[in-house]
Amino acid sequence: PAEVAVDYGEPGKRIVAAATKWRADLIVLGVKSATEHLGAATHVARAVAHYVVVHAPCPVLTVRAHEMAAFARQRGNYHDLR
């Protein structure tokens, strides 16, 4: 089963830590496509995705952000990790 979580802190490190804690089989990240230039926010999001891909304890699948949002809404299983 898939889990969707909300957490706070440095995104890349928090994602990797959660994946390690949960012994995740796969991490799915929503990212902006290369043609969607939204300035600094896009650069930061890509840097987070790169960090996770390099440091994750499991495979990482990146999907377009709008597809990720639709998936999360359908599942309705958000978890606040605070």
Side-chain angles (χ1 to χ4, degrees):
E3 297 289 333
V4 178
V6 177
D7 199 358
Y8 303 90
E10 286 188 57
K13 290 181 180 180
R14 298 303 306 142
I15 292 167
V16 170
T20 302
K21 178 182 175 183
W22 294 346
R23 296 181 183 161
D25 296 317
L26 175 70
I27 298 171
V28 181
L29 291 176
V31 295
K32 297 287 184 184
S33 72
T35 59
E36 296 178 80
H37 297 287
L38 300 175
T42 300
H43 178 71
V44 170
R46 288 185 185 145
V48 169
H50 181 262
Y51 180 91
V52 173
V53 167
V54 170
H55 294 94
C58 60
V60 179
L61 172 66
T62 59
V63 296
R64 292 185 187 127
H66 67 277
E67 293 170 357
M68 183 69 173
F71 170 77
R73 280 193 299 275
Q74 287 176 343
R75 298 278 306 166
N77 60 344
Y78 292 93
H79 298 282
D80 191 333
L81 299 178
R82 284 187 283 177

